[in-house]
Amino acid sequence: MTRQLETIGPVLLVRGAGEHQCSLSAIVITLDNLNPPVLVPDEGRIITPVALHSQFGRTIWRYDFDLPARENATYRLGNAVFPVQANFSSDVRIAYVSCNGQEHADADRPLAERNAMWRRLAEEHASTPFSLLLQGGDQLYADEVLQSHPALARWAANGKTQKSQQSFNADMSNAAESHYFNRYLTLLSQPDIAYVSARVPSLMMWDDHDIFDGWGSISETLLDSQIGRGLFNVARRMFMLFQGGATVEMPTIGESKSELLTLTQVVRFPRFSVVAPDLRSERRPARVMGPVGWAAFERALLLTKRGDRILLMSSVPVLGPRLSWVEKFLDLLPGVQKYEDDMLDQWQSRSHRGEWRRMLEALQLRAVEGCNEVTVLSGEIHLATRGEMAFTDGTIMHQLVASGIAHPPPPKLYARALGYLAMMGESVLPGQPVRLKPLPGHKHIYAAERNYLVMMRRNDKWSAEWDLEVSGRTPAMSLEGRHD
């Protein structure tokens, strides 16, 4: 076995930054019979890791450390030295990605094709480094977990009544755990992803494919079945380990030792904050977040420093076309109810209209009372686009959608049809229309190409660009200014 397979990582996770230092964690996975490699940060001492979890012959280690807030900070892991752009006090470059895979046979794809956009991201970082990587959902396409055990495959194929009656035993749990565990190892060991992960600290939030397709929007009978809850609990543990670097017993820095019902994350930086609400843990067909999730989200907004820009990571777009007409149309057609969960995934579903309004009102209240500029970062739809909504004080909330970095794009005809729907407009808050717009330099509202997003703060002015697989880089778009 090669050394590369013996040790996987590091995967850098950001915990926050101030004027003088940046707080990080690094996740490293080794074979059980190996001692963890030595990690030494700039201007620091050897860091003793904690063993988060051992399973399937592997141990997951977490190193918690700080780096000085400078552009040329480094840390050493074993014999390798990794540079980190750790100064968040001046100019900052942030990358945003989502949808890292596809629903079926993702592991069978040639890496050169699958990770073409990861390679571009890595090359861009090598020439002009990023300080932060935001990963907005579907980092793992785990849908094939339903084929990891014969009983799970039967459950997936059976009708709702039979599904609700099947048990979730230890053998099925072990098969599901093995599937999630090894899918994470496979992804994290792919060279282009590994290059970026070791050098750019990430903040990640999950979406349905990190569990399995449609989780939270499928019927409550399935959500509440033993197998449904069992798979969710396994996926949650694996997300916490590989994407959060935590367990219930060993939470991340600043978290309480309790099994939270929400995985909402808030990370603070000089003059901006990243707020990533968990839109899956409490999701039901008729709700997006439950009381715990809403309390965590609204508390995060309330505690944001006055004047700081808020980067809101919403795994599904907050601004989007009116879907109630589409849902009513689907109700009339036989055989298309399989698309119902795709509609229910969206804030714009008729089932979530009250919560959608609550989300927009909460963001507006914070923007107006706290003088906070708000920028929404989103993915999920496998298309790139942008949107705007003016708040009552004249400031504009921009939404930037980047999706997906590895998922194949849908047909251009689908993108055009969605664009026509978006042109019909929507005003969930009276007198404040939602406007979806083409990317800079593009004619159509939705771009059907794989892509990633780049946000930049230069001289305290924010802008954004998209890098698209075929069309290339868009012109920079300012995120400053007010509604005319």
Side-chain angles (χ1 to χ4, degrees), residues 40-258:
V40 184
D42 260 2
E43 302 178 4
R45 299 178 179 179
I46 292 175
I47 301 298
T48 301
V50 296
L52 288 178
H53 184 71
S54 292
Q55 196 173 18
F56 307 116
R58 297 272 184 174
T59 298
I60 303 172
W61 304 89
R62 187 183 80 201
Y63 303 76
D64 297 326
F65 62 101
D66 295 329
L67 288 179
R70 62 185 187 219
E71 296 177 359
N72 60 346
T74 63
Y75 69 100
R76 176 171 60 85
L77 184 75
N79 296 322
V81 176
F82 299 96
V84 179
Q85 194 87 349
N87 181 11
F88 287 86
S89 297
S90 55
D91 293 349
V92 175
R93 282 169 47 83
I94 301 171
Y96 177 91
V97 304
S98 68
C99 299
N100 181 32
Q102 66 182 24
E103 289 82 350
H104 305 292
D106 187 57
D108 299 332
R109 300 163 70 186
L111 289 187
E113 181 279 326
R114 184 197 186 283
N115 292 335
M117 295 306 294
W118 278 108
R119 185 163 56 256
R120 290 217 322 225
L121 184 64
E123 290 169 352
E124 180 170 351
H125 174 74
S127 62
T128 316
F130 293 102
S131 298
L132 179 62
L133 175 62
L134 302 177
Q135 302 193 47
D138 296 337
Q139 281 70 253
L140 184 79
Y141 272 70
D143 305 286
E144 290 172 332
V145 69
L146 297 174
Q147 307 303 317
S148 64
H149 188 281
L152 293 177
R154 288 194 298 272
W155 180 81
N158 286 340
K160 290 183 180 179
T161 302
Q162 292 172 289
K163 285 181 178 181
S164 66
Q165 296 172 350
Q166 287 185 251
S167 62
F168 187 69
N169 59 36
D171 192 43
M172 296 157 69
S173 179
N174 188 67
E177 289 170 0
S178 177
H179 178 82
Y180 287 110
F181 196 95
N182 286 293
R183 285 296 295 136
Y184 276 115
L185 296 187
T186 298
L187 285 178
L188 296 178
S189 62
Q190 292 175 2
D192 295 308
I193 297 176
Y195 177 91
V196 175
S197 298
R199 293 163 176 81
V200 187
S202 284
L203 188 157
M204 307 183 226
M205 179 47 64
W206 68 349
D207 203 28
D208 60 330
H209 290 285
D210 297 287
I211 309 164
F212 62 81
D213 185 22
W215 176 265
S217 296
I218 58 177
S219 75
E220 294 189 331
T221 300
L222 306 186
L223 294 177
D224 294 332
S225 68
Q226 289 190 42
I227 290 181
R229 297 313 302 179
L231 289 173
F232 171 81
N233 290 333
V234 172
R236 185 179 187 275
R237 289 198 302 273
M238 295 299 165
F239 169 83
M240 290 179 68
L241 281 170
F242 288 100
Q243 299 196 48
T247 67
V248 172
E249 295 75 23
M250 286 176 279
T252 59
I253 301 166
E255 289 184 343
S256 61
K257 185 178 177 181
S258 62

Side-chain angles (χ1 to χ4, degrees), residues 309-329:
R309 180 175 290 265
I310 296 172
L311 304 184
L312 175 72
M313 288 173 58
S314 176
S315 53
V316 294
V318 171
L319 304 180
R322 180 177 295 185
L323 296 179
S324 56
W325 297 341
V326 178
E327 290 175 305
K328 289 179 182 178
F329 179 67

Side-chain angles (χ1 to χ4, degrees), residues 11-26:
V11 177
L12 277 188
L13 303 174
V14 70
R15 304 308 190 191
E19 298 290 340
H20 304 294
Q21 69 182 27
C22 176
S23 297
L24 303 167
S25 295

